[in-house]
Amino acid sequence: MKIDGKEYRTIWFENNLVKIIDQTKLPYQFIIKDLKTVKDAINAIKVMEVRGAPLIGATAAYGLVLAIIENNDKSFLKKSAEDLFSSRPTAINLKWAVDRMMKKISGVSSDKILDIAVNEAKEICDEDIRFCENIGLNGLKIIENIYNKKKDIVNILTHCNAGWLATINWGTATSPIYHAHKKGIPVHVWADETRPRNQGANLTSYELNEEGINNTIIADNTGGILMQRGEVDMCIVGTDRTLANGDVCNKVGTYLKALAAHDNDIPFYVALPSSTIDWNTEDHKEIPIEERNSEELSHVEGFDDEGKIKKIQIYPKKSKAMNLAFDVTPAKYVTGLITEKGICEASTEGLKKLFK
Ligand code: MRU
């Protein structure tokens, strides 16, 4: 998608370096950063220079490429895989990507391993783009149906950033929106601010603006009243891990939006590529929920009057704060899962029908 009118992917490989858009600087500065070592890749995931389930999976894949360039020794690669895998705990795409890469390179001779790893990491990215594009085409039908009945702007609420910045291109939750916009369907997005890191305000609104899509940032608690007032036609969110039974783990606050949508008979869809399905965990209580530094709550960052980025403390110094990053929305509150293969019920049967 575009930034300042120029097409970008979120990650690419060039001259033995991994290039990323540093998302900790958006929307204030657009900086392309080089990752030179596997440690750089691990750090980029941890500090959220890259974030979003599919993108951290792709970064881990390229992290292994960097590890091979550094030291093509079996035990170093194994340790790098473990460190990449544990750099953030909740998104299943990390494990999916690391496992896929390790399987591909296992037993490969040292003269071929780099080429094979580079090709596989690129294929992970290309495949994600294809899948996200299909998610968009499948989700477009839902938006079209609403528009055909309403004959007026379709208002869509989303939480966090499941946009192209969270994937390689298109996004998951935003892909149907981009497709609807391209088709001339008038859409307007309510972008939940998404405290504490403000991915909705800093990233979703930013990327929608760059594509010319009408959007409004709202405080995280505003969705409920908008739904009661009939100002939300549907919700679409992304996910970091969806269980085979249809339970959806996503950015903290998603669950409350799903409850409000349920109470107001508003369709609540989750968009995901199959790389985000966890086929093995049966109980959502087993999903590791990331707890991040409470400083993300107690401090905020923004522009000062001179245009410089500044961080300030907004809580009393003595106050404790807790920063859980994800929650789980039970399948019963999810209207449907929009995947690359089609839309299905959020249930074991629904997912099995699409993914035999
Ligand atoms: O903490 P983040 O910014 O990595 O969380 C991102 C989300 O919660 C997204 O909704 C999810 O990863 C899906 S991205 C297509």
Side-chain angles (χ1 to χ4, degrees):
M1 308 299 285
K2 290 196 269 314
I3 290 178
D4 272 340
K6 192 175 164 204
E7 282 286 338
Y8 285 93
R9 285 183 174 201
T10 51
I11 188 165
W12 65 99
F13 188 66
E14 205 178 293
N15 301 328
N16 277 5
L17 296 171
V18 176
K19 306 269 184 181
I20 58 160
I21 298 167
D22 180 353
Q23 300 194 19
T24 60
K25 299 287 184 296
L26 291 175
Y28 317 113
Q29 293 165 343
F30 180 75
I31 293 174
I32 293 172
K33 189 169 174 175
D34 291 343
L35 306 180
K36 300 185 178 97
T37 63
V38 64
K39 262 199 178 147
D40 289 348
I42 292 164
N43 185 58
I45 296 170
K46 279 190 174 157
V47 303
M48 294 173 65
E49 288 167 349
V50 286
R51 25 71 49 208
L55 180 55
I56 58 178
T59 308
Y62 274 124
L64 279 170
V65 169
L66 294 172
I68 292 168
I69 295 170
E70 273 174 80
N71 178 357
N72 185 1
D73 167 79
K74 251 192 185 165
S75 61
F76 181 70
L77 292 186
K78 191 165 171 273
K79 172 84 174 68
S80 300
E82 281 162 11
D83 291 348
L84 284 161
F85 163 64
S86 54
S87 54
R88 283 191 79 189
T90 303
I92 194 72
N93 301 60
L94 263 185
K95 178 171 164 39
W96 171 87
V98 169
D99 285 352
R100 179 166 160 172
M101 290 293 289
M102 291 305 276
K103 199 168 158 200
K104 194 76 190 180
I105 60 176
S106 95
V108 173
S109 59
S110 56
D111 56 326
K112 298 207 177 94
I113 193 167
L114 180 60
D115 283 349
I116 288 186
V118 170
N119 285 340
E120 191 64 4
K122 185 166 181 300
E123 178 50 24
I124 284 176
C125 293
D126 292 348
E127 182 184 279
D128 189 68
I129 295 175
R130 290 195 299 275
F131 285 5
C132 285
E133 185 164 13
N134 282 341
I135 288 169
L137 293 168
N138 293 327
L140 168 64
K141 294 173 205 148
I142 303 167
I143 302 178
E144 256 176 340
N145 280 344
I146 295 174
Y147 179 64
N148 289 339
K149 281 191 200 129
K150 193 182 173 192
K151 305 266 182 265
D152 201 355
I153 296 182
V154 181
N155 287 301
I156 302 168
L157 184 140
T158 191
H159 189 65
C160 193
N161 173 262
W164 78 269
L165 290 167
T167 62
I168 315 303
N169 212 339
W170 288 110
T172 59
T174 55
S175 188
I177 298 169
Y178 288 131
H179 280 85
H181 179 71
K182 277 187 199 299
K183 235 191 146 178
I185 298 172
V187 285
H188 165 258
V189 178
W190 296 113
D192 279 354
E193 181 189 31
T194 319
R195 282 281 292 147
R197 290 190 67 112
N198 298 340
Q199 292 95 324
N202 289 346
L203 305 175
T204 303
S205 178
Y206 169 77
E207 64 163 84
L208 293 173
N209 289 341
E210 294 294 313
E211 289 291 327
I213 295 182
N214 189 5
N215 70 91
T216 309
I217 298 166
I218 49 174
D220 290 330
N221 297 322
T222 312
I225 178 109
L226 292 178
M227 291 185 202
Q228 286 172 326
R229 286 181 174 177
E231 291 182 56
V232 178
D233 296 303
M234 71 183 295
C235 304
I236 320 181
V237 298
T239 167
D240 284 78
R241 186 189 294 235
T242 286
L243 302 192
N245 69 5
D247 286 351
V248 168
C249 181
N250 190 45
K251 181 55 56 194
V252 70
T254 302
Y255 175 41
L256 292 177
K257 293 301 130 60
L259 287 177
H262 181 77
D263 191 46
N264 290 280
D265 280 330
I266 291 165
F268 189 91
Y269 284 95
V270 178
L272 69 154
S274 47
S275 53
T276 308
I277 304 171
D278 178 350
W279 297 103
N280 299 314
T281 305
E282 282 177 7
D283 186 339
H284 73 77
K285 293 194 190 83
E286 287 164 28
I287 300 174
I289 300 288
E290 179 177 17
E291 184 170 351
R292 295 186 63 87
N293 196 318
S294 63
E295 204 186 284
E296 291 183 351
L297 274 166
S298 59
H299 291 65
V300 289
E301 219 172 61
F303 273 132
D304 69 9
D305 289 343
E306 284 149 25
K308 286 197 196 115
I309 299 177
K310 250 200 181 145
K311 197 178 200 178
I312 56 161
Q313 173 147 9
I314 55 166
Y315 286 175
K317 280 211 164 85
K318 279 189 183 163
S319 298
K320 274 196 297 180
M322 190 210 208
N323 187 12
L324 288 179
F326 298 95
D327 65 20
V328 179
T329 300
K332 63 180 173 182
Y333 298 120
V334 177
T335 309
L337 302 173
I338 309 172
T339 76
E340 74 270 14
K341 289 210 174 178
I343 301 167
C344 70
E345 191 183 84
S347 67
T348 310
E349 300 70 41
L351 278 167
K352 262 194 192 155
K353 265 187 214 156
L354 283 187
F355 300 95
K356 301 235 164 53

